[in-house]
Each structure stands twice: as structure tokens, then as C-alpha cells.
């Protein structure tokens, strides 16, 4: 057979010919096409399922890794609570747990450091702190500075009464706010603007303007005013448990980082904590109701062990509010923080262990240094502390390089003066008695100031104004800005710190007898941006008579100095203190309250007889308190000191086991989209 015939037969029976020239061929073609499409779809489906399974598995492992990271954080918190860590940073790496591993890191740092050095004065002024404009240097240098934390470095007064137009805008003008008990030591009502109501804008200084439920006792709390009486606890500080409160000149901060890994997938979580502290409370009352009247402004947290009563509108709370009971007339409140009823109890008594403080002062706590111990009633003059050298001194005697800042008095502690250069905590096994102005300063001494000074000279009762540029003095984001004046006594100054012409802080000052350096007023609660804003101070100067009155604006370095006053029983304001009184301190009365003694005739009247009580700092008591004669005759300013939380007085009590979370965040790894 020829080749030609073979090719013809092949062509006759070929697949193409079969498909194209018969119905059976067409069906086969359709089947093959469908099979191909199904194959492609099946492959795509299997690929997608496999991809989704891989993706789901990845996220399942990521979720498990996240839970492992959170578990590591919980372990870190438990270790801190149990004080099981002796060295920092603390790390645990690749610890097997379940189907994965976790790692843990705990780092400790302080929110701020005490700068105990004393820099030289940057003398831009020939007068430079000299008292040459004051012929009364040795006089009783009590400053009536209206509400200003006179010597604090950015002392956070947060007083919210910055610009009401005159000098008498204290917290809680119209409310006789403090007598908690009315004869019952355990159920004090703390009537009317207890302690921290900044009744801004209520210029009527009578203590009972329209609030007839306010304290009729005018300061006669049922706590005996006889300081040495045997009704005060005779234990003199020997408690039977050790609270082991931590603390130093700055608060310890802890950063806990937890990392979880499962099947190669990692998740990381970080939390920043500090030990919870009573210092965050503008007002803390463990065992009584707490009441505030209209226009009160509370800048710190508020906590009451019974009910919170809001007797007028508005009452403004800038931070968190908690009541073990309920909040009465809640619609009268403006709340910028959280609001909690039926709150978890906080036990003030167990948090303040006097025996522990006694051991701290005597140097009997390992690795915690030594303080000052007095076995009997003592007077503590804050002016006698000197932190300027390599070791601190008191009354000229060295306290040693390991001075821990604790002063313990078995009995009553009588306290007044100005504390500068370092923070301390004074603990009394009976009462703390405030006998005069208490002011605090900064850790640093160097400053710059305006030169020449602004000189005011006007007739009595007249007010002059001047605006002073301070751009050249502002070199950091956290300056300490103060007003200093000398010359004629009883001149009044209101100062406004301006940023691009807008008021960002306000302070007040009254010139009294004594050194001008002991009477400076401090601006507080502000931050600056030197590169973006222009800064100045506007001064309103009301004269008490003719004469030259030079005034400077000073900018200091250093960190805030803070004072803690802790009493087992009661914190008293003595009956002989000036009517215009400043107390820069955190007040804590473990078993009692705080109260002002005396009457209209016992307190020195000063120049014009006005009554202004200013307490810059937290007030923490078992029951409420009383402003005594200030409730009847004057203005009460209660300003929470914001910086005292970060720059705590050494070893100031903390609620046991409590922590404050500063932030929580997840650190996403690169391999998780």
C-alpha cells in the first residue's frame, strides 16, 4: 500500500475528524471542556481553602499568643504585688506554657529625680533676693498669699479659681463645710463643700449663704482640742503590723512587657503602672458622708465611704468620683472622670502603720536609711532643714547621706516654716498641730529673673497693672515661674501667666512682714512651648499705701518639694495662726479628722482683718473636718496639688495592693497585618 493511501486512512479515522464529523465526537468534546473547567475551579477552590486555613491558623496562633502575652502581664503584676522582685530589670525568657511560650520584662524607673544640688544664683538683678527693700527681715514672715503654693516647683494647685476678678476667690465661699460630726465621731456629714469646694464666683464670704444644712458647730468638731489630753492615743506609734509602704522623693514607675509566641507568631503587650496612692485624692473620707454645695470644683479624685451629697448646681469633678454608698442629687454634678457607686472599700487604717514609720525613722528597716526620731512632743521648724550640701542638715547637724526623709514624733508634732531643697514626711503618733504658715519650694536654687524690676507706686487702695515679657527666661518646657515683691507691707498682687496673650495660670500674693523670698507666689498647672508661643506675666498691684514696691518675675530650676503630714489622731490648725494662712502639705489623719481651732479674737488680724485659709494638697481623713472660724468669717481655698502624685513625700502611705494604670498598649509585630 502506498504512503498516500495510508495517510488517507489515518485522516479518515482521526480524532479531529471523529469529533467534527459525528455526534458522538461533539459529546466527547463537551465532556472534556466541562472536566477542564471543573478541574480549574477545583484547583482554585482547594487553593483558597488551603490559604484560608493557613490564615485562620495564623490568627488562631496570634490570638493564643496574645493571651500568653496578657498572662505574662498578669504574672508581672502579681510579682510586684507580692514584692517578689529584688532587682530590676527583671526578665523571664521563652517560658513554655501550653502550646507556646511567653517572655516577661519588668523595668522600674522614677517619674522624677530629686536634684539635691544647689546651683549658684544666676544674678540678673542687683537686688537679687536681698531684703534691702524690707526693713523688717526678722519679723514674723507669715505670708497670706491667697491660695498659692508659694514655694512649690509647679505645685499643681489646680485651684480653678484663676480669674474671678479679685483676691478672695477661694474654694467654697458660702458653705460651712467641714464639721463632719455634730457630736458623732463616726457619722459626720462633712456638711457643705467639704474641704475642696472651690466656690468660684461666689463672692459672698459668709460661710452659710443659703445653705442652711451646713455645719452649725463652726469648727467645734467632737475631737478634743486639748493636744496633750489623754484622750489621744497613748500607743505612741506602736502598731502591730507593717504596711511596708514604699516611696521616695519621686514615685516608682513600672513598665511590664509581655510577649507570647505560638507556632512562630508573636504578640506583645505593654502596661505602665505605679502604686496607687492616697495623694491622688483631692478629698478622701473613709467613714462619713461628703457634701458639696454649688460652684465647688474638685481637681483630684474624690472618695467617700458613705454617700456623696451634691446640694447645689453645679459641682464640678475634674477626676474620678467614688462613693461606697450612692451619689445624692447626681444631676447637680458635672463629671469629667468616671463615677462609681458601691465602690470597693479602701482601708485607711491598715495603710498607715505607725510602727513601720517609727522603725524607718530609727533606721531599723534594712536598706532604707535613717530618719529623725523624737521620743516626745516636738516642734519641727521646716526652715531648719538644709539640703544644699552633700548631706542634709537639721539645725546645723548632719543627718547623714542615708537620710530617708522620715521624721517620727512619739506624741504631738508642732509644725511650721518653709521647706526647700528636699521633701520630707512628718508622722505623729498623736496629733499634728500646724502653728504657722507651711510653704514648700524646689530642689534647685538657681534662677533667672526680670531686670530691672517692675516698680509700683500708687495711693492706698488703688490698683496698677503692668505686663512683663519673660520670653528670655523660659528655656524649658517645665519652668517654675514665681512672683517676688518687696517694699511696703500688705500690698496685694494678682498675677496672670499669658501664652500669646491668653491666660494659662493665675496666682495671688500678699506682702507681709519678713523676707520677700519666703513669700513668693508660684504659677502652677501649665506647660509651655518656648518655640511656639510668647510668654508674659500681667500684674495687678493693689497698694496698701504710697511707697516704692519693686516686683520681679523669677524662673527657677529643680523639681517640686512636697511635705506629708500624717497624724494618728487629728491634724489641727492652731488658734494663734494668722487669719491669712497658707498650708502647702498633704494632710492625713488616720483615725480622726482635720480641724481649725480658735475664734475671731484668737487669730492675728493682719492688715485688713480678712480671713483666707489656703490648703494646697490632698486631705485624707477617717471622718470629715472643720475649717473652724474660717467657716464663719472667711474664704477657704482647697487646691489639690497635682505634682504631689509624681513627686511624693517620702514613704507617704499607699492603699495596700493598689495600682494605677498609666497606659496599656499592644505592640504589633511586623508579621501580623
Amino acid at each position: 500500500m502506498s504512503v498516500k493511501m495510508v495517510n488517507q486512512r489515518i485522516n479518515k479515522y482521526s480524532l479531529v475528524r471523529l469529533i467534527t464529523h459525528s455526534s458522538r465526537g461533539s459529546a466527547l468534546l463537551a465532556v472534556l471542556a466541562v472536566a477542564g473547567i471543573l478541574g480549574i475551579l477545583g484547583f482554585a477552590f482547594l487553593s483558597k481553602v488551603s490559604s484560608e486555613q493557613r490564615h485562620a491558623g495564623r490568627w488562631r496562633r496570634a490570638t493564643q499568643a496574645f493571651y500568653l502575652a496578657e498572662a505574662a502581664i498578669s504574672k508581672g503584676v502579681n510579682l510586684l504585688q507580692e514584692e517578689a522582685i529584688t532587682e530590676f530589670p527583671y526578665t523571664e525568657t521563652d517560658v513554655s506554657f501550653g502550646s507556646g511560650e511567653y517572655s516577661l520584662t519588668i523595668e522600674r524607673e522614677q517619674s522624677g529625680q530629686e536634684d539635691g544640688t544647689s546651683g549658684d544664683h544666676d544674678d540678673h538683678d542687683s537686688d537679687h533676693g536681698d531684703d534691702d527693700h524690707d526693713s523688717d527681715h526678722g519679723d514674723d514672715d507669715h505670708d497670706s498669699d491667697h491660695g498659692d503654693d508659694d514655694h512649690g516647683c509647679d505645685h499643681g494647685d489646680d485651684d480653678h479659681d484663676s480669674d474671678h476678678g479679685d483676691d478672695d476667690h477661694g474654694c467654697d465661699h458660702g458653705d460651712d463645710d467641714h464639721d463632719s460630726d455634730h457630736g458623732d465621731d463616726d457619722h459626720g456629714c462633712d456638711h457643705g463643700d467639704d474641704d475642696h469646694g472651690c466656690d468660684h464666683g461666689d463672692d459672698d464670704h459668709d460661710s452659710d449663704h443659703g445653705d442652711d444644712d451646713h455645719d452649725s458647730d463652726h469648727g467645734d468638731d467632737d475631737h478634743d482640742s486639748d493636744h496633750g489630753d489623754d484622750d489621744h492615743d497613748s500607743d505612741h506609734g506602736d502598731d502591730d503590723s507593717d504596711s511596708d509602704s514604699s516611696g521616695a522623693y519621686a514615685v516608682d514607675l513600672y513598665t511590664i512587657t509581655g510577649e507570647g509566641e505560638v507556632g512562630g507568631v508573636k504578640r506583645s503587650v505593654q502596661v505602665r503602672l505605679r502604686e496607687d496612692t492616697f495623694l491622688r485624692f483631692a478629698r478622701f473620707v473613709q467613714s462619713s458622708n461628703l457634701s458639696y454645695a454649688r460652684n465647688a470644683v474638685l481637681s483630684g479624685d474624690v472618695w467617700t465611704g458613705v454617700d456623696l451629697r451634691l446640694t447645689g448646681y453645679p459641682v464640678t469633678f475634674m477626676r474620678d468620683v467614688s462613693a461606697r454608698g450612692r451619689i445624692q442629687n447626681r444631676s447637680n454634678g458635672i463629671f469629667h472622670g468616671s463615677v462609681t457607686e458601691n465602690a470597693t472599700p479602701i482601708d485607711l487604717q491598715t495603710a498607715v502603720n505607725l510602727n513601720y514609720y517609727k522603725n524607718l525613722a530609727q533606721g531599723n528597716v534594712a536598706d532604707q536609711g535613717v530618719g529623725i526620731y523624737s521620743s516626745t512632743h516636738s516642734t519641727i521648724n521646716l526652715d531648719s532643714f538644709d539640703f544644699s550640701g552633700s548631706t542634709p542638715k537639721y539645725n546645723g547637724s548632719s543627718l547623714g547621706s542615708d537620710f530617708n526623709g522620715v521624721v517620727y514624733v512619739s506624741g504631738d508634732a508642732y509644725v511650721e516654716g518653709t521647706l526647700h531643697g528636699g521633701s520630707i514626711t512628718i508622722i505623729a503618733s498623736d496629733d499634728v498641730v500646724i502653728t504657722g504658715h507651711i510653704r514648700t519650694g524646689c530642689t534647685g536654687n538657681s534662677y533667672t529673673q526680670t531686670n530691672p524690676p517692675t516698680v509700683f507706686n500708687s495711693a492706698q487702695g488703688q490698683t496698677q497693672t503692668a505686663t512683663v515679657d519673660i520670653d528670655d527666661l523660659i528655656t524649658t518646657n517645665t519652668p517654675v515661674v514665681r512672683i517676688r515683691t518687696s517694699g511696703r507691707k500688705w500690698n496685694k498682687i494678682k498675677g496672670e501667666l499669658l501664652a500669646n496673650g491668653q491666660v494659662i495660670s493665675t496666682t495671688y500674693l500678699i506682702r507681709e512682714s519678713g523676707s520677700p523670698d519666703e513669700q513668693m507666689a508660684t504659677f502652677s498647672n501649665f506647660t509651655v512651648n518656648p518655640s511656639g508661643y510668647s510668654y508674659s506675666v500681667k500684674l495687678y498691684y493693689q497698694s496698701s499705701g504710697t511707697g516704692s514696691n519693686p516686683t520681679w518675675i523669677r524662673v527657677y530650676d529643680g523639681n517640686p518639694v512636697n511635705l506629708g503630714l500624717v497624724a494618728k489622731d487629728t491634724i489641727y490648725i492652731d488658734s494663734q495662726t494668722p487669719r491669712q494662712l497658707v498650708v502647702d502639705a498633704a494632710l492625713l489623719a488616720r483615725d480622726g479628722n482635720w480641724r481649725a481651732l480658735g475664734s475671731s479674737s484668737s487669730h492675728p488680724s493682719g492688715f485688713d482683718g480678712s480671713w483666707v485659709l489656703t490648703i494646697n494638697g490632698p486631705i485624707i481623713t477617717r471622718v470629715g473636718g472643720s475649717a473652724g472660724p474660717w467657716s464663719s468669717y472667711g474664704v477657704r481655698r482647697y487646691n489639690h496639688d497635682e505634682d504631689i502624685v509624681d513627686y511624693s513625700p517620702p514613704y507617704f502611705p499607699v492603699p495596700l495592693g493598689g495600682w494605677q494604670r498609666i497606659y496599656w498598649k499592644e505592640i504589633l509585630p511586623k508579621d501580623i497585618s
Side-chain angles (χ1 to χ4, degrees), residues 272-514:
R272 192 168 176 83
L273 305 170
R274 65 181 165 205
E275 284 188 285
D276 197 5
T277 172
F278 285 109
L279 294 170
R280 68 181 170 91
F281 295 109
R283 189 67 173 102
F284 177 97
V285 182
Q286 179 171 296
S287 303
S288 66
N289 295 312
L290 193 56
S291 297
Y292 292 102
R294 64 184 181 89
N295 293 325
V297 178
L298 284 300
S299 57
D301 290 2
V302 173
W303 197 98
T304 175
V306 190
D307 288 346
L308 177 64
R309 299 171 177 174
L310 308 182
T311 62
Y313 177 85
V315 180
T316 303
F317 298 91
M318 306 304 294
R319 299 287 181 85
D320 298 342
V321 176
S322 301
R324 286 280 291 137
R326 66 187 186 90
I327 299 175
Q328 300 180 18
N329 301 316
R330 184 166 174 168
S331 61
N332 285 336
I334 298 174
F335 301 94
H336 293 277
S338 64
V339 180
T340 304
E341 295 180 320
N342 301 313
T344 303
I346 299 177
D347 190 349
L348 178 61
Q349 278 67 46
T350 58
V352 183
N353 181 346
L354 298 180
N355 195 49
Y356 174 69
Y357 289 108
K358 181 179 179 180
N359 287 326
L360 276 172
Q362 294 177 327
N364 295 331
V365 180
D367 301 321
Q368 299 300 313
V370 63
I372 298 174
Y373 173 74
S374 174
S375 60
T376 187
H377 305 305
S378 296
T379 297
I380 309 298
N381 189 334
L382 301 175
D383 297 298
S384 297
F385 283 94
D386 180 3
F387 291 88
S388 62
S390 58
T391 59
K393 296 178 180 179
Y394 183 71
N395 278 336
S397 299
S398 175
L399 297 173
S401 59
D402 59 348
F403 177 62
N404 58 24
V406 173
V407 179
Y408 185 91
V409 177
S410 286
D412 298 333
Y414 299 84
V415 185
E416 67 175 286
T418 298
L419 182 65
H420 191 79
S423 299
I424 65 172
T425 298
I426 300 173
I427 304 99
S429 65
D430 287 345
D431 303 321
V432 171
V433 184
I434 296 168
T435 56
H437 292 293
I438 291 177
R439 302 188 182 93
T440 53
C442 303
T443 57
N445 288 321
S446 62
Y447 60 81
T448 56
Q449 67 180 7
T450 52
N451 184 37
T454 303
V455 179
F456 295 95
N457 189 350
S458 60
Q460 180 175 341
Q462 292 186 354
T463 299
Q464 289 180 284
T465 62
T467 300
V468 183
D469 178 59
I470 60 170
D471 275 337
D472 292 342
L473 308 183
I474 302 292
T475 58
T476 69
N477 291 330
T478 56
V480 180
V481 182
R482 290 164 153 176
I483 300 174
R484 177 187 185 273
T485 190
S486 62
R488 189 176 180 85
K489 313 300 185 294
W490 310 114
N491 293 322
K492 299 180 181 181
I493 300 177
K494 173 186 173 183
E496 295 176 339
L497 180 60
L498 310 176
N500 287 353
Q502 301 297 312
V503 178
I504 60 174
S505 183
T506 302
T507 190
Y508 300 90
L509 183 152
I510 291 183
R511 173 76 174 106
E512 290 192 22
S513 299

Side-chain angles (χ1 to χ4, degrees), residues 62-369:
T63 301
Q64 293 171 341
F66 176 81
Y67 288 136
L68 280 176
E70 284 282 82
I73 295 290
S74 297
K75 181 177 181 179
V77 173
N78 289 334
L79 289 172
L80 290 176
Q81 288 176 328
E82 295 169 0
E83 299 182 354
I85 303 174
T86 58
E87 294 184 4
F88 293 90
Y90 174 85
T91 59
E92 295 182 11
T93 306
D94 299 335
V95 180
S96 296
F97 190 87
S99 59
E101 297 176 336
Y102 72 83
S103 297
L104 169 66
T105 302
I106 305 176
E107 298 173 288
R108 181 178 66 183
E109 64 180 282
Q110 290 186 327
S111 61
Q113 298 289 338
E114 280 285 353
D115 180 6
T117 60
S118 59
D120 292 329
H121 293 302
D122 190 357
D123 190 351
H124 290 271
D125 170 51
S126 58
D127 184 29
H128 201 174
D130 219 328
D131 293 333
D132 51 302
H133 292 281
D134 176 13
S135 61
D136 196 7
H137 300 272
D139 248 46
D140 186 63
D141 57 345
H142 299 304
D143 177 21
S144 61
D145 181 13
H146 282 175
D148 300 287
D149 196 3
D150 307 327
H151 288 269
C153 293
D154 192 10
H155 255 111
D157 293 345
D158 205 1
D159 50 336
H160 298 286
D161 64 339
S162 59
D163 191 15
H164 296 290
D166 64 59
D167 288 350
D168 53 2
H169 301 292
C171 308
D172 106 58
H173 286 352
D175 305 292
D176 188 7
D177 40 343
H178 301 294
D179 184 14
S180 62
D181 292 349
H182 297 279
D184 185 348
D185 188 50
D186 291 319
H187 301 286
C189 299
D190 209 4
H191 287 262
D193 262 21
D194 177 61
D195 305 357
H196 290 274
C198 300
D199 191 3
H200 294 351
D202 182 359
D203 292 329
D204 50 358
H205 303 310
D206 187 311
S207 65
D208 192 19
H209 288 276
D211 288 285
D212 57 9
D213 61 341
H214 298 310
D215 173 23
S216 60
D217 196 7
H218 293 297
D220 235 1
D221 224 78
D222 61 311
H223 294 286
D224 193 320
S225 63
D226 182 2
H227 304 319
D229 207 303
D230 59 6
D231 61 347
H232 296 297
D233 183 72
S234 60
D235 185 27
H236 286 249
D238 291 328
D239 271 23
D240 55 358
S241 61
D242 186 350
S243 68
D244 197 24
S245 302
S246 68
Y249 291 94
V251 174
D252 287 337
L253 302 178
Y254 298 89
T255 302
I256 307 175
T257 304
E259 181 182 89
E261 181 175 2
V262 177
V265 179
K266 296 180 179 180
R267 298 283 290 275
S268 295
V269 174
Q270 188 175 88
V271 63
R272 192 168 176 83
L273 305 170
R274 65 181 165 205
E275 284 188 285
D276 197 5
T277 172
F278 285 109
L279 294 170
R280 68 181 170 91
F281 295 109
R283 189 67 173 102
F284 177 97
V285 182
Q286 179 171 296
S287 303
S288 66
N289 295 312
L290 193 56
S291 297
Y292 292 102
R294 64 184 181 89
N295 293 325
V297 178
L298 284 300
S299 57
D301 290 2
V302 173
W303 197 98
T304 175
V306 190
D307 288 346
L308 177 64
R309 299 171 177 174
L310 308 182
T311 62
Y313 177 85
V315 180
T316 303
F317 298 91
M318 306 304 294
R319 299 287 181 85
D320 298 342
V321 176
S322 301
R324 286 280 291 137
R326 66 187 186 90
I327 299 175
Q328 300 180 18
N329 301 316
R330 184 166 174 168
S331 61
N332 285 336
I334 298 174
F335 301 94
H336 293 277
S338 64
V339 180
T340 304
E341 295 180 320
N342 301 313
T344 303
I346 299 177
D347 190 349
L348 178 61
Q349 278 67 46
T350 58
V352 183
N353 181 346
L354 298 180
N355 195 49
Y356 174 69
Y357 289 108
K358 181 179 179 180
N359 287 326
L360 276 172
Q362 294 177 327
N364 295 331
V365 180
D367 301 321
Q368 299 300 313

Side-chain angles (χ1 to χ4, degrees), residues 639-661:
N639 309 316
H640 182 246
D641 189 347
E642 294 294 320
D643 68 45
I644 204 169
V645 176
D646 289 329
Y647 296 90
S648 169
Y651 298 94
F652 198 86
V654 298
L656 297 181
W659 294 88
Q660 282 183 286
R661 188 175 71 184

